[in-house]
Amino acid sequence: MAKTAPGVLNPLEPPSMLVTDPPEHTRLRRLVSRSFTPRALDGLRIRVHEIADGVLRGLEGRAECDLVAEYTSRIPIAVIAEMLAIPHDDTRFVREVAVSTTGLIGSTAASWRDFRAAMNALRGFDRYLGEHIERLRHDDDGNSILAEVVRNGDLTETEIRMLAGLLLGAGFVTTTHVLGKAVVALLRHPDQLATLRANPEGWPNAIEEILRYDTTGQLAGRVATEQVDIQGYPIRAGESIFLLVGGANRDPAVFNEPDTFDTTRANAREHISFGTGVHA
């Protein structure tokens, strides 16, 4: 995108924390983390429960529904909108941007049509963010993570916009898919679902196994900082590679019977669905 659509903010290009390295990454992460206080996250946790319950109540009495369109996609977009202090009337626009642009993240070679649509969506979102951030600067009573970031004044305008785009791009499609995949995995393994119903305290570990078993982001892009040889395949410094995160989460050297869905798996948390190192 730096060459094909310069000037358009992209979560896969600097100054996005996804692709910056220390010391720049350390600075950005430190400044952003100030707004993710325990108090803010506790409040967010309560709202996640309220939003999820509210969407579910809206489906009461229905014989069937589209799980992704009517449930799993609506939860993260509502939560992210609140994190960004986006008015409720604007959430449909934000969702359309997310749907259009996440196709670039989940593919190694997006079609030209999809690329152009995503670029148009990103340009519109960038303009919207500029106006939205300006409103937040003059709202002393705003109570959201983005409002806190804006008030702190530690990030540049571009960095604030990138953070907002990163929350939307990295948080929407991943959460939407992992919720859908969780339901599918549990329905296909009724014995595991029965175990969780009988022992609800097993849910935290079950979530880790769900993340490992059917990884939401199967691919992760990385750039080699030095020449390296991987099992006879040379990779030059500066070359981009795609890591098969889903394959790593099924590594038999790490997970016993990796193709088995086991919500009681002792080392389920060793998955790398959220990355590793400073980028975890």
Side-chain angles (χ1 to χ4, degrees), residues 22 30 32-33 39 46 53 69 86 91 93 102 119 157 179 184 197 236-237 239 245-246 253 270 278:
R30 183 184 69 252
V32 169
S33 66
R39 180 179 179 182
I46 294 171
D53 289 346
I86 290 175
T91 55
F93 163 70
T102 49
M119 290 305 97
E157 177 83 8
L179 289 172
V184 171
R197 283 173 169 166
R236 296 188 299 271
E239 284 189 329
V245 178
E270 293 182 25
V278 297

Side-chain angles (χ1 to χ4, degrees), residues 33 46 59 82 85 128 162 169 183 191 204 242 250-251 253 255:
S33 66
I46 294 171
L59 298 175
E82 292 199 6
Y128 174 86
M162 182 61 77
V183 172
D191 59 319
F242 283 95
R250 296 284 188 100
D251 186 351
F255 303 103

Side-chain angles (χ1 to χ4, degrees), residues 4-262:
T4 54
V8 178
L9 292 180
N10 174 16
L12 297 182
E13 291 173 0
S16 168
M17 283 187 288
L18 285 181
V19 294
T20 53
D21 291 323
E24 184 64 4
H25 177 272
T26 305
R27 180 186 71 85
L28 290 170
R29 188 158 183 162
R30 183 184 69 252
L31 295 177
V32 169
S33 66
R34 293 177 182 175
S35 301
F36 285 83
T37 62
R39 180 179 179 182
L41 295 179
D42 281 341
L44 193 60
R45 184 178 295 109
I46 294 171
R47 282 297 295 142
V48 170
H49 280 282
E50 292 174 347
I51 290 169
D53 289 346
V55 176
L56 193 59
R57 283 195 299 271
L59 298 175
E60 283 183 326
R62 297 273 299 276
E64 60 180 43
C65 74
D66 185 315
L67 178 68
V68 173
E70 299 181 73
Y71 188 70
T72 71
S73 65
R74 292 184 60 190
I75 296 172
I77 206 67
V79 174
I80 293 169
E82 292 199 6
M83 293 172 72
L84 301 181
I86 290 175
H88 182 268
D89 291 344
D90 294 345
T91 55
R92 182 174 180 179
F93 163 70
V94 174
R95 184 181 184 280
E96 290 172 351
V97 172
V99 170
S100 179
T101 57
T102 49
L104 300 183
I105 299 176
S107 172
T108 59
S111 69
W112 178 246
R113 177 183 296 178
D114 289 345
F115 176 80
R116 294 296 298 171
M119 290 305 97
N120 290 333
L122 283 173
R123 289 189 184 95
F125 186 57
D126 191 37
R127 289 192 295 270
Y128 174 86
L129 279 178
E131 297 170 357
H132 180 57
I133 290 170
E134 190 61 26
R135 288 194 297 268
L136 292 180
R137 292 190 192 281
H138 297 90
D139 183 7
D140 295 332
D141 298 323
N143 182 24
S144 70
I145 286 179
L146 186 62
E148 185 68 22
V149 170
V150 171
R151 279 196 294 266
N152 284 340
D154 298 316
L155 298 178
T156 67
E157 177 83 8
T158 298
E159 290 169 346
I160 294 174
R161 294 189 192 189
M162 182 61 77
L163 171 64
L166 181 59
L167 287 172
L168 179 64
F172 170 65
V173 70
T174 50
T175 310
T176 296
H177 287 179
V178 77
L179 289 172
K181 289 184 174 186
V183 172
V184 171
L186 290 168
L187 290 179
R188 288 178 175 174
H189 301 84
D191 59 319
Q192 298 295 308
L193 182 56
T195 297
L196 289 168
R197 283 173 169 166
N199 304 282
E201 67 277 5
W203 271 109
N205 194 74
I207 298 301
E208 304 294 345
E209 176 68 354
I210 287 167
L211 289 163
R212 181 204 71 85
Y213 179 73
D214 201 354
T215 308
T216 299
Q218 293 287 319
L219 300 175
R222 290 292 184 268
V223 177
T225 58
E226 61 184 33
Q227 183 165 329
V228 63
D229 183 276
I230 300 179
Q231 295 187 353
Y233 291 90
I235 299 173
R236 296 188 299 271
E239 284 189 329
S240 297
I241 60 174
F242 283 95
L243 308 177
L244 298 178
V245 178
N249 283 342
R250 296 284 188 100
D251 186 351
V254 178
F255 303 103
N256 185 43
E257 298 184 4
D259 295 331
T260 298
F261 180 61
D262 180 6

